[in-house]
Structure formats: C-alpha cells, structure tokens
Amino acid sequence: MRYPVWRPAVFACAASLPLYWLYLGWQFALGPDPGKVLVDNLGEGALVLLLLTLSMTPMQRLTGWGGWLAVRRQLGLWCFTYALLHLSGYLYFLLGGEFSRLGEELRERPYVLVGGLGFVGLTVLAMTSSRWSMRRLGKRWKKVHRLVYLIVILALLHMLWVVRADAARWFLYAGIAMALFFLRVPAVTKTLASVRSRKGRGE
Ligand code: HEM
C-alpha cells in the first residue's frame, strides 16, 4: 500500500465534518433553520473538496512528490459524497420530500438545475474513477475526466446564484479555481516541470 498515512487522515477529516454538523443540528446549535445550514455547509464542503482534488496534480508537478496523486481519487470521491448528502439534504429538509414540487422548483430556481448538472458530472467521474475504468477507457479516461473543469464552472455558477449579495466567499473560490485552471495551461505546466528539475539539480 502506498502512502497509508494519508488515507485514514483524509477519511477522518472528511467523515467527521458532516457528523459534527449533524450533531450541532441535534443540539439546536445551527440557528433557527438547521436544515438549510446543513445543506449550505455540505454544498460548500463539496466545492472545497472539488478544488482540493483539482489542486493535487499541480502540487505533484511542483514538488515531484507522488503522494499528492495518491489522495486525489479519495478527495474526489469525498466531493461526490458531500454533493450526494447536499442533494439528499435539499430533498429532505428544503423540499420536505415532496418530489412533485421538483418541476416547480426547477422553473422558479434555475440554480437547482445548474447544481443538478454538476451532480450528474460528478456521478460520471465517481463511476469512472476506479483502476478498472482507467484501464478500460485507456486514453479516453483523461478526456472524460476533463469534465471536472465544467463541473467547477457549474458549481461556481450555482453558488453565485445562491449567495448573490454576500459574494465575498464566492470570489475567493472563483479566484482559486482560476489559479488552478491557469496551472493546467500547457506552457505553465512545462515551466513548473523545468523549475522542479532545475531545483532537483541544485541550480
Ligand atoms: C442536484 C444537485 C444539487 C441541488 C438540488 C442543489 C441545491 C442547492 C440549494 C437549494 C442550495 C441553496 C440552499 C439555501 O441556502 O437555500 C444550494 C447551495 C449551494 N450548493 Fe448546491 N445543489 C446541488 C448540487 C451542488 C453541487 C454539485 C455543488 C458543488 C460541487 C453544490 C454547491 C453548493 C454551494 C457552494 C452552495 C452555497 C452554499 C452557501 O450558501 O454557503 N451544489 N444548493
């Protein structure tokens, strides 16, 4: 097993947060609308995990340490789990389990549709994240997983629609996403690799 220390640490952090929020809700410590706070926290958590997943490859290129890539898949799967909990929380707390209202919701709140598209994309990535899928898809695997950029854009658009007036956090996440997109530009990737090899040679 490679880098075993990472896995339980990431697991413990990612699994304990939703449990902690659930506990706070149980203790009436999440304000007058705990369901909404829980849904918001899970949505924001999914976005943070998405950006963390996207930052693993540039970190590996910058430092040359393969450990970053070892947790990339784990973080991606946690992002999917948070998004699934976020969606479940929305259906249970905000929609009250009335699925017949979904059509009306999609008409009145288009951001729900945008979030839904992002979730479909995350589902595709989660379902094709195994080594078996990697082997089966071959070169197409990379192409499929480029979907992550579209998902980031959809998630940011979805969030902006919700937070609108209080957009400071949104600008922070959008700025991080832009920086991560920039680090994937081929010319920048090459520069990072040459900086690392020069450092490695002690120049
Ligand atoms: C079917 C899928 C989805 C549905 C139905 C959905 C629904 C919602 C709703 C109703 C809200 C606003 C809650 C409120 O404050 O009233 C929200 C907020 C949010 N969602 Fe989603 N969402 C979905 C997918 C996603 C995905 C895939 C992500 C990120 C990867 C995401 C990230 C967020 C964020 C960051 C917020 C704002 C949280 C805040 O105000 O701090 N959502 N979502």
Side-chain angles (χ1 to χ4, degrees):
M1 212 201 313
R2 284 186 305 162
Y3 311 106
V5 178
W6 276 102
R7 294 177 196 279
V10 171
F11 181 89
C13 290
S16 53
L17 262 178
L19 291 174
Y20 177 61
W21 293 329
L22 214 56
Y23 168 76
L24 289 182
W26 197 260
Q27 296 293 313
F28 303 101
L30 286 184
D33 196 346
K36 181 179 146 38
V37 177
L38 207 59
V39 171
D40 281 347
N41 286 357
L42 286 163
E44 199 165 350
L47 180 60
V48 169
L49 283 160
L50 187 60
L51 294 175
L52 274 175
T53 309
L54 208 62
S55 67
M56 292 296 110
T57 306
M59 288 304 279
Q60 187 270 331
R61 286 193 182 131
L62 201 65
T63 61
W65 189 55
W68 299 108
L69 295 188
V71 280
R72 189 179 57 183
R73 178 167 170 258
Q74 198 186 0
L75 286 171
L77 288 174
W78 273 111
C79 167
F80 172 72
T81 308
Y82 270 55
L84 183 65
L85 292 172
H86 174 64
L87 168 61
S88 313
Y90 162 73
L91 293 172
Y92 183 74
F93 294 114
L94 305 186
L95 215 60
E98 292 176 47
F99 296 100
S100 55
R101 274 180 50 210
L102 255 180
E104 180 194 327
E105 276 280 299
L106 291 175
R107 267 194 310 279
E108 282 176 13
R109 302 177 205 217
Y111 67 83
V112 170
L113 180 64
V114 177
L117 291 175
F119 182 71
V120 170
L122 282 177
T123 309
V124 171
L125 296 193
M127 285 174 69
T128 57
S129 68
S130 64
R131 283 188 207 286
W132 181 80
S133 298
M134 252 182 181
R135 270 198 305 274
R136 259 204 88 132
L137 289 170
K139 280 186 181 160
R140 279 174 301 161
W141 188 87
K142 264 197 168 175
K143 279 191 190 156
V144 173
H145 279 249
R146 282 201 194 118
L147 199 60
V148 72
Y149 300 108
L150 178 63
I151 299 171
V152 171
I153 292 168
L154 288 171
L156 283 171
L157 187 63
H158 171 72
M159 182 186 182
L160 182 63
W161 227 308
V162 176
V163 296
R164 259 186 256 166
D166 170 28
R169 271 175 310 132
W170 184 84
F171 277 109
L172 174 71
Y173 294 134
I176 294 171
M178 294 298 261
L180 290 170
F181 285 4
F182 175 73
L183 288 175
R184 294 296 177 100
V185 173
V188 181
T189 309
K190 271 189 193 162
T191 314
L192 283 185
S194 69
V195 168
R196 184 160 59 84
S197 63
R198 258 186 278 151
K199 256 173 77 182
R201 291 197 303 267
E203 285 176 31

